[in-house]
Amino acid sequence: MASDAVVLPVDGPHGTRDVRISSPGRVLWPEPGITKLDLAKYLVDVGEAFIAANGDRPVSLQRFPGGIDGEQFFSKNPPKGAPDYVRAVTVTYPSGRSHPQVVLDEPAAAVWAAQMNTVVFHPWPSLAGNSDNPDQLRIDLDPQPGTDFDDAIPAAIELRALLAEAGLTAFLKTSGNRGIHVFAPIEPTHEFLEVRHAVIAAARELERRMPDQVTTNWWKEERGKRIFVDFNQANRDRTMAGAYSPRALAHAPVSCPIEWEELENADPKAFTIETVPERLRTVGDPWANMAEKPGTIDVLLEWWERDVGNGLGELPFPPDFPKMPGEPPRVQPSRKNAANWDDEKTD
């Protein structure tokens, strides 16, 4: 039987590579009718910006062989048969075990991942050559029930000012859902736990300034109708959807970098696989210069030490569930089921 595969030419730093897309008509997003080939073409269109944001980092691939409404699983190490332009780097997980993790270095590698039915890309906040020390401080502003994207906007604006006071330049993107992701480039001189402490210090300071709108309460019952500053996204092996990554939601949204000037009028639902390529062509990439002037977390760590001296310390860590071959749904932390969490740490 003749194959219906399509070969896409993908330009990159090493010339043009031909990437074979099998089953190109497979529908991944049923509502808008977006196919596997559409996804691959999207990654061709945004390839340069996508790799600038997510390349040279350990990345987990969230794969949906039957579309977003079907089964899913995560790939961390390159599967057998991966092309020679897809590499791996050995990283250490919270359990202390080491494992090879995929690294994408050029647009063709992202298109290959689409061939493998990857919908969501989850890059680490550290580079492949120094995976133990993050070069990005990441803060997830997560609207709780009764709040939405618009409620996160004032928190993001205040967070930007707060980080500036600490000597950091903040960049932002939509989460692809209701939240806002705030990133700051940092010098990779501190390991994950210290960066987590810096995030907690920033989160607590934001909560002090906006106590009725922002919370750092890990337990969902105590958050109320506020924006949760998810400090645990700063943990080792905790990742969020990368910039320009599609999301596995019905309308095929994209986690899209935007300018601060756009935030107050932004509609996260408007950034989709179908619209973002034209946006990049006309508006450009708001993150293009993100890595040029990294800051340090020194001031935030001073705030952390100040808070420790005032009786504040660690906040709860999440349970560490198995991640491969399948990954469970995100667990909302609740005091009533915390006692049932398995204390055995696995990766």
Side-chain angles (χ1 to χ4, degrees), residues 74-123:
F74 280 70
S75 288
K76 292 186 177 182
N77 57 310
K80 291 182 180 179
D84 58 8
Y85 54 83
V86 175
R87 67 181 171 110
V89 64
T90 299
V91 299
T92 302
Y93 297 114
S95 65
R97 291 182 59 192
S98 296
H99 198 280
Q101 188 108 19
V102 175
V103 178
L104 307 176
D105 290 318
E106 58 180 278
V111 178
W112 162 83
Q115 156 61 15
M116 304 297 292
N117 302 296
T118 301
V119 169
V120 191
F121 297 79
H122 300 265

Side-chain angles (χ1 to χ4, degrees), residues 28-29 44 62 88 96 102 137 144 149 188 194 220 222 225:
L28 297 181
W29 284 269
V44 172
Q62 189 176 0
V102 175
L137 181 141
Q144 298 304 290
F149 181 86
E194 292 174 305
K220 65 179 184 179
E222 299 171 5
K225 294 181 179 181

Side-chain angles (χ1 to χ4, degrees), residues 198-220:
V199 169
I200 291 174
R204 281 175 166 154
E205 184 61 28
L206 184 63
E207 185 179 36
R208 291 186 190 101
R209 299 182 185 191
M210 307 180 73
D212 296 327
Q213 297 156 282
V214 167
T215 180
T216 60
N217 284 313
W218 174 244
W219 308 109
K220 65 179 184 179

Side-chain angles (χ1 to χ4, degrees), residues 17-29:
R17 299 191 191 275
D18 291 333
V19 183
R20 183 178 181 272
I21 306 298
S22 62
S23 303
R26 177 180 295 155
V27 176
L28 297 181
W29 284 269

Side-chain angles (χ1 to χ4, degrees), residues 98-179:
S98 296
H99 198 280
Q101 188 108 19
V102 175
V103 178
L104 307 176
D105 290 318
E106 58 180 278
V111 178
W112 162 83
Q115 156 61 15
M116 304 297 292
N117 302 296
T118 301
V119 169
V120 191
F121 297 79
H122 300 265
W124 279 38
S126 53
L127 295 172
N130 188 7
S131 62
D132 291 329
N133 293 344
D135 72 329
Q136 293 175 339
L137 181 141
R138 300 174 172 182
I139 298 179
D140 180 13
L141 298 176
D142 185 8
Q144 298 304 290
T147 65
D148 213 327
F149 181 86
D150 288 344
D151 299 293
I153 291 174
I157 293 171
E158 184 61 34
L159 178 58
R160 181 193 188 190
L162 182 157
L163 292 175
E165 293 173 25
L168 297 173
T169 302
F171 294 76
L172 83 157
K173 65 183 179 73
T174 63
S175 70
N177 196 357
R178 300 184 306 134

